[in-house]
Amino acid sequence: MNYSLSPFLAVGLTGDNVHFSDWSHPGDAQTYEGANSTIKSLIPSLRVFLPYRRVGFRNRFKPFLEVFQVNSSIATTLAYLPFGEKESFEETTSKAFNFGYGARLGLELALTNRLGFQLTYGVTKHRLKSKLYDDTSAIFTKTEMGMFYRGLLTKKLF
């Protein structure tokens, strides 16, 4: 959800829910057998874009740059073999609240003045803190494609 402040600036608020599983592990190491992680994020953003042109075919394209902060709840579960056991895995879960940041480059293609397509490519860096592993950050890249609908085209103040 985005709200335009001016022809060049918008603020937004989005949510994200990412789940990872089936991690690979080298050789005979079974540390990551059955491991999974879930990241639930609330993302406030600031978007800077070029306005539509008034005439010609290019009036339908609107490139933008978006920067954002990521506020995340990360839950990671690792399974391990207790000492002396061969087939019995035990699970340990770590939950933490983390912050991060990121940026997206995007392009909107307007089909009508209300409806259109959007394509974005973004990079997000999560700062991590967990009892289960020593990593302090994770970097994700994501390509997104979707449709948008503008509910309010003009502001009216009474």
Side-chain angles (χ1 to χ4, degrees), residues 56-74:
F57 181 72
R58 292 190 324 176
N59 69 340
R60 297 191 174 272
F61 292 96
K62 190 176 190 179
F64 63 85
L65 170 67
E66 186 172 37
V67 293
F68 53 88
Q69 176 189 356
V70 181
N71 307 298
S72 302
S73 169
I74 301 177

Side-chain angles (χ1 to χ4, degrees), residues 18-88:
V18 180
H19 181 76
F20 304 96
S21 60
D22 297 327
W23 295 358
S24 63
H25 44 85
D28 292 334
Q30 294 180 330
T31 305
Y32 299 110
E33 188 71 35
N36 64 73
S37 187
T38 301
I39 302 174
K40 296 179 182 180
S41 305
L42 187 62
I43 307 167
S45 63
L46 180 65
R47 183 179 286 191
V48 179
F49 49 89
L50 298 175
Y52 291 115
R53 297 191 183 274
R54 297 286 182 210
V55 294
F57 181 72
R58 292 190 324 176
N59 69 340
R60 297 191 174 272
F61 292 96
K62 190 176 190 179
F64 63 85
L65 170 67
E66 186 172 37
V67 293
F68 53 88
Q69 176 189 356
V70 181
N71 307 298
S72 302
S73 169
I74 301 177
T76 302
T77 301
L78 296 181
Y80 64 94
L81 284 170
F83 185 72
E85 300 285 330
K86 291 193 176 196
E87 298 294 327
S88 170

Side-chain angles (χ1 to χ4, degrees), residues 102-117:
R104 284 187 197 108
L105 286 174
L107 180 67
E108 290 183 357
L109 169 64
L111 300 176
T112 69
N113 61 349
R114 288 190 182 267
L115 184 66
F117 289 105

